[in-house]
């Protein structure tokens, strides 16, 4: 026994040593390329240590997880919403729900600062912030009959903070979905291969839904194999369509046309039965997501590619072409989901606690799934930074910054000190099966190029075009899964709010309510999608910072609720585990919001950009095409500014409510009672619950 204990200590000491060596190699390297293997080693070691020790300590000593306690899934089992489910199935559901485009796109965009800041934030932010938020939110929701985040805020902190949380959650969801749609549109714009492949995933998901429900009920493995094979054939078939002049034109569209198609899809996904599209798409996406990430990790281990992006670029001063803003605070709001994401709190207090069969699985599902998503973000950072920096900036820099002509873009990027040639970009586009890769903003195309390059060098360069469009499909599945699920969740939230005024509107199955609320939700995020599509700078500079700020404000709201419950539960000495990341998020989001509202830099401040564009429009110096959309862009910049102000006010309402709880606790004054459900012993003894 003693020998075994000593052996385990030696093993964990070795893991710690390797992790420290990897972090030092990443952080201290200057002036030369570095192997991507160091990134994988650092992530694997840090995640293992955090999960084994920090997460285990929180679960046992802070939350006091009780495996003998019946969960809401057991006590309220109704065979529809509350269903005790195998922990691996719940893990798969939870990961599929939280793993949207954030861990893919955020690190790719943040690479304009260099690989170092984003990588360190992904590693530290996930283990100390994101995974903690997910786990404690899941625990507290489970103890409160799977109540939502907004309802917990209302019950535990107060009606003012609760109302602010409910409104903020809904509005943040709208911004989130709009950004997801923009990323998909920019990836498919004038790419028949990508568009036809993504379009094919919709009937494939519906076919799998019919197969599992009507044709061969219970034959899950058959349906899975059918869906995966059809998805792979869709990638190959997209290449065939791209080379057929008669068919190619059907899928070669401008961004605005694709935006309308995405809006129509979002509405359909919100109103059709969940088993027909949403459930099979989620199920298939889990296999594609996990399989692709693991394959990418294997390819990196085999290939051992060099990271060519410098540790820090000159754009840390805020002059970056992809988005404006200095390293602090914008690297932290650009990389949201890979480190900490408020959207996760909606899932951790939504569907997941209704499926959880035993509290002892909370660490694996809450903390573990976030670590896996953080690993996805590390893979995205590697895929973006193994590209030559000149190529990376040629793909991601909008035409409004580098020029609409390829020759102008090449000259501009070379002036920054990043070598790239027109011949190099033309050859790369040809290898990827595209006509051009210039100004493909949004992060998805450059990420797909990076992934294809790694896959191609590891498994065969002759298939680069296939790998590229497989990566586009992989990203689109990530995004559309969150887009359609988010639209449906937004519809539920709006029905709940309208149900307080007209109870019949709260009936989620009443057709008029379904159609009206779905239309309102889609119209809201569709408008912001339209903003991004017509923006000559690609839309990312307008929407992504707003998305990052809003998403992390939602995370701060979740940490406020968790901190308040810890204080009320008599665990003030442990409140730092949520309090410290809360203080950091308040600092980052408030600073970013202040700069987006009041900065005089037109590439940062919303009002500054609106005023500059107004002056140019009045002076008549804008080209005709830009002058035509200028009034809309001016209004949109101002709207984004007022939304940012509104989000800040909502956040600080919740914070002040939580601080008032702390004040009353320290003065031994009465507080709202804890709403934790009474203890009931579990009766689930089936082996699958524990194994």
């Amino acid at each position: 026994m003693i020998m075994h204990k000593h052996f385990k200590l030696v093993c964990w000491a070795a893991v710690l040593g390797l992790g420290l060596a990897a972090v030092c190699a990443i952080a201290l390297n200057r002036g030369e390329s570095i192997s991507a293997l160091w990134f994988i080693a650092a992530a694997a070691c840090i995640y293992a240590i955090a999960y084994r020790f920090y997460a285990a300590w929180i679960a046992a000593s802070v939350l006091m997880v009780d495996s003998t306690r019946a969960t809401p899934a057991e006590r309220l089992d109704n065979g529809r919403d509350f269903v005790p489910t195998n922990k691996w199935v719940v893990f798969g559901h939870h990961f599929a729900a939280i793993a949207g485009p954030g861990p893919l796109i955020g690190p790719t965009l943040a690479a304009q600062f260099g690989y170092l800041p984003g990588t360190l934030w992904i590693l530290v932010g996930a283990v100390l912030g994101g995974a903690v938020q997910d786990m404690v939110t899941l625990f507290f929701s489970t103890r409160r009959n799977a109540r939502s985040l907004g309802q917990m805020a209302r019950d535990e902190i107060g009606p003012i903070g609760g109302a602010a949380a409910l409104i903020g959650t809904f509005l943040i969801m709208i911004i989130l979905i709009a950004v997801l749609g923009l990323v998909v549109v920019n990836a498919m714009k004038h790419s028949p291969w990508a568009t036809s492949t993504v379009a094919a995933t919709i009937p494939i998901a519906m076919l799998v839904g019919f197969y599992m429900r009507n044709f061969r009920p219970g034959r899950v493995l058959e349906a899975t194999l059918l869906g995966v094979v059809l998805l792979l054939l869709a990638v190959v078939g997209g290449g065939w369509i791209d080379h057929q002049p008669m068919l190619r034109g059907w899928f070669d569209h401008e961004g605005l046309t694709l935006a309308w198609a995405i809006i129509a899809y979002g509405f359909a996904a919100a109103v059709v039965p969940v088993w027909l599209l949403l459930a099979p798409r989620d199920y298939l996406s889990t296999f594609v997501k996990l399989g692709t990430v693991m394959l990418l990790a294997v390819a990196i281990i085999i290939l051992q590619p060099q990271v060519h992006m410098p540790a820090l670029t000159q754009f840390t001063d805020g002059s970056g072409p992809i988005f404006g803003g200095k390293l602090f605070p914008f690297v932290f709001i650009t990389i949201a989901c890979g480190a900490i994401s408020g959207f996760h709190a909606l899932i951790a207090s939504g569907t997941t606690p209704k499926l959880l069969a035993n509290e002892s699985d909370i660490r694996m599902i809450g903390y573990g799934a976030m670590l896996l998503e953080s690993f996805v973000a590390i893979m995205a950072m590697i895929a973006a930074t193994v590209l030559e920096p000149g190529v990376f900036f040629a793909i991601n820099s909008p035409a409004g910054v580098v020029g609409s002509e390829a020759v102008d873009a090449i000259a501009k990027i070379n002036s920054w000190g990043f070598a790239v040639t027109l011949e190099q970009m033309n050859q790369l586009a040809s290898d990827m099966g595209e006509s051009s890769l210039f100004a493909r903003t949004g992060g998805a195309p450059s990420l797909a190029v990076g992934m294809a390059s790694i896959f191609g060098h590891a498994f065969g360069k002759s298939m680069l075009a296939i790998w590229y469009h497989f990566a586009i499909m992989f990203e689109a599945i990530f995004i559309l899964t969150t887009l359609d699920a988010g639209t449906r969740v937004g519809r539920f939230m709006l029905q709940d709010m309208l149900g307080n005024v007209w109870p019949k509107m709260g009936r989620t199955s009443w057709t008029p309510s379904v159609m009206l609320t779905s239309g309102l939700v889609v119209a809201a995020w569709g408008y912001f999608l339209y903003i991004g599509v017509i923006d000559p700078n690609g839309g990312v500079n307008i929407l992504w910072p707003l998305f990052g700020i809003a998403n992390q404000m939602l995370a701060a709201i979740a940490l406020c609720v968790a901190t308040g419950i810890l204080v009320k539960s008599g665990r003030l000495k442990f409140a730092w585990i949520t309090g410290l990341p809360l203080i950091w998020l308040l600092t980052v989001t408030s600073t970013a919001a202040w700069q987006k509202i009041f900065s005089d830099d037109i590439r940062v401040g919303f009002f500054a950009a609106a005023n500059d564009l107004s002056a140019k429009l009045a002076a008549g110096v804008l080209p005709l095409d830009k002058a035509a959309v200028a009034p809309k862009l001016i209004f949109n910049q101002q709207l984004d500014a007022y939304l940012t102000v509104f989000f800040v006010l909502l956040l600080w309402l919740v914070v002040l409510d939580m601080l008032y709880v702390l004040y009353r606790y320290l003065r031994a004054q009465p507080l709202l009672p804890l709403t934790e459900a009474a203890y009931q012993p579990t009766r689930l003894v089936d082996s699958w619950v524990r194994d």
Side-chain angles (χ1 to χ4, degrees):
M1 182 65 71
I2 295 177
M3 288 290 292
H4 179 66
K5 183 177 181 180
H6 287 167
F7 178 74
K8 289 174 63 177
L9 288 174
V10 170
C11 289
W12 282 113
V15 172
L16 177 61
L18 176 59
L20 289 174
V23 171
C24 289
I26 295 170
L28 301 179
N29 181 73
R30 294 292 186 275
E32 59 185 44
S33 58
I34 180 175
S35 173
L37 284 179
W38 286 117
F39 291 72
I40 294 180
C45 293
I46 289 174
Y47 297 156
I49 291 171
Y51 183 80
R52 171 59 184 84
F53 296 102
Y54 189 50
W57 173 76
I58 293 175
S61 301
V62 180
L63 303 179
M64 293 185 285
V65 166
D66 187 353
S67 62
T68 70
R69 187 187 187 104
T71 65
E74 178 184 354
R75 291 185 288 102
L76 307 176
D77 185 2
N78 59 12
R80 184 179 66 252
D81 299 317
F82 291 85
V83 182
T85 307
N86 182 288
K87 65 180 181 180
W88 296 109
V89 176
V90 180
F91 181 91
H93 157 78
H94 187 76
F95 176 74
I98 67 173
L104 297 173
I105 306 305
T108 304
L109 298 177
Q112 80 164 4
F113 293 130
Y115 69 76
L116 181 59
T119 300
L120 294 180
W121 170 234
I122 291 168
L123 296 175
V124 176
V127 300
L128 297 181
V132 171
Q133 174 212 242
D134 294 9
M135 183 169 68
V136 297
T137 302
L138 177 57
F139 174 82
F140 288 134
S141 179
T142 300
R143 284 285 177 95
R144 286 157 180 77
N145 290 333
R147 287 195 182 102
S148 67
L149 176 63
Q151 191 61 47
M152 285 194 293
R154 189 179 182 87
D155 294 343
E156 298 287 351
I157 295 180
I160 297 177
L166 284 170
I167 297 171
T169 298
F170 177 73
L171 293 178
I172 288 168
M173 179 76 75
I174 296 300
I175 301 299
L176 168 72
I177 300 171
V179 175
L180 306 187
L182 178 63
V183 173
V184 175
V185 168
N186 284 340
M188 298 190 301
K189 185 167 56 179
H190 291 304
S191 176
W193 193 336
T195 302
S196 59
T197 299
V198 172
T201 65
I202 298 172
I204 289 171
M206 296 175 71
L207 176 62
V208 170
F210 272 113
Y211 193 97
M212 289 193 291
R213 183 177 176 86
N214 298 322
F215 185 61
R216 297 274 284 175
R219 304 288 183 173
V220 178
L221 182 59
E222 290 180 15
T224 302
L225 292 175
L226 174 65
V228 172
V229 169
L230 289 177
L231 287 176
L232 296 177
L233 289 176
V235 179
V236 178
W240 179 79
I241 289 174
D242 192 38
H243 291 86
Q244 304 300 314
M246 293 287 292
L247 299 176
R248 194 178 193 279
W250 294 0
F251 300 96
D252 188 355
H253 298 292
E254 296 283 348
L256 200 54
T257 303
L258 294 170
W260 286 114
I262 293 294
I263 290 169
Y265 165 75
F267 179 79
V271 300
V272 301
V274 69
W275 60 266
L276 180 59
L277 181 58
L278 198 65
R281 178 183 284 282
D282 277 353
Y283 181 69
L284 288 175
S285 73
T286 301
F287 288 93
V288 176
K289 290 174 182 179
L290 293 179
T292 303
V293 170
M294 293 303 109
L295 183 64
L296 186 60
V298 170
I300 291 171
I301 293 172
I302 294 173
L303 186 61
Q304 300 182 30
Q306 298 294 303
V307 171
H308 295 110
M309 185 70 71
L312 295 169
T313 70
Q314 67 266 38
F315 301 130
T316 56
D317 64 358
S319 62
I322 300 174
F323 60 89
K326 295 183 179 181
L327 179 65
F328 179 86
F330 288 99
V331 72
F332 302 103
I333 65 166
T334 301
I335 300 179
C337 302
I340 183 167
S341 168
F343 179 73
H344 296 188
L346 304 183
I347 306 301
S349 62
T351 53
T352 304
K354 296 179 178 66
L355 304 175
L356 192 74
N358 195 285
E359 283 190 4
S360 62
D361 300 331
I362 286 174
R363 177 169 67 119
M364 182 192 77
I365 295 166
Y367 201 95
M370 177 60 213
L371 293 185
L372 184 56
E373 178 165 357
S374 183
F375 187 68
V376 173
I378 290 292
M379 294 294 102
M381 179 63 76
I382 292 172
T385 54
V386 295
L387 295 174
E388 292 290 342
V391 171
F392 172 84
F393 286 109
I395 297 173
N396 285 290
S397 299
V401 174
V402 297
S404 57
E405 298 297 327
V407 175
D408 297 332
I410 291 293
K412 185 71 172 179
I413 294 166
N414 276 280
S415 72
W416 297 333
F418 300 119
V420 63
T421 65
L422 183 59
E423 293 74 17
Q424 183 182 6
M425 291 301 299
N426 288 339
Q427 183 60 52
L428 184 64
S430 176
D431 290 342
M432 299 299 164
E434 294 290 326
S435 58
S436 173
L437 288 172
F438 282 101
R440 300 292 295 275
T441 58
S446 67
L447 176 60
V449 170
M451 291 174 62
S453 299
I454 293 172
F455 286 143
H457 284 85
F459 306 120
K461 289 185 178 181
S462 62
M463 296 176 60
L464 273 175
I466 294 288
W467 286 122
Y468 173 81
H469 289 91
F470 173 81
I472 289 290
M473 183 198 69
F474 160 75
E475 295 173 39
I477 285 179
F478 254 92
I479 295 165
L480 289 178
T481 297
T482 308
L483 187 146
D484 50 29
T487 302
R488 187 175 284 263
V489 170
R491 189 248 288 181
F492 290 153
M493 294 168 65
L494 186 56
Q495 285 179 301
D496 286 342
M497 285 188 271
L498 293 179
N500 294 323
V501 180
W502 184 10
K504 200 169 185 179
M505 289 296 294
R507 290 167 47 188
T508 57
S509 59
W510 189 44
T511 301
S513 175
V514 170
M515 303 299 287
L516 175 62
T517 53
S518 297
L520 290 174
V521 170
V522 170
W525 65 255
Y527 175 75
F528 285 98
L529 172 59
Y530 173 76
I531 288 175
V533 171
I534 67 171
D535 179 17
N537 289 329
V540 172
N541 195 47
I542 290 180
L543 289 181
W544 194 270
L546 182 61
F547 159 72
I549 292 170
N551 192 24
Q552 293 203 331
M553 283 183 177
L554 183 56
I557 290 173
L559 290 170
C560 275
V561 174
T563 304
I565 294 176
L566 284 175
V567 170
K568 290 175 60 179
S569 303
R571 303 176 201 174
L572 179 61
K573 67 178 181 180
F574 295 126
W576 61 267
I577 68 162
T578 54
L580 289 181
L582 170 60
I583 292 171
W584 175 252
L585 286 185
L586 289 175
T587 303
V588 168
T589 55
S590 298
T591 303
W594 179 272
Q595 292 187 19
K596 295 302 291 184
I597 296 166
F598 296 109
S599 174
D600 293 330
D601 185 345
I602 62 173
R603 300 186 64 250
V604 177
F606 288 130
F607 284 126
N611 294 336
D612 177 74
L613 195 56
S614 296
K616 289 179 179 177
L617 181 63
V621 298
L622 292 176
L624 290 178
D625 57 337
K626 291 186 178 180
V629 299
K632 295 178 182 176
L633 293 178
I634 293 167
F635 173 78
N636 297 335
Q637 293 277 10
Q638 293 172 338
L639 177 62
D640 288 349
Y642 289 122
L643 276 175
T644 303
V645 172
F646 187 58
F647 287 152
V648 171
L649 292 177
L650 289 178
L651 170 62
W652 280 98
L653 276 176
V654 179
V655 172
L656 291 175
D657 239 7
M658 185 273 292
L659 291 177
Y660 185 61
V661 169
L662 176 60
Y663 170 79
R664 292 183 66 86
Y665 175 82
L666 293 175
R667 294 182 63 87
Q669 294 179 353
L671 297 169
L672 288 173
L674 287 168
T675 58
E676 183 174 300
Y679 173 88
Q680 289 185 27
T682 181
R683 298 190 179 188
L684 290 178
V685 294
D686 300 42
S687 60
W688 64 262
V689 175
R690 303 277 23 96
D691 297 333

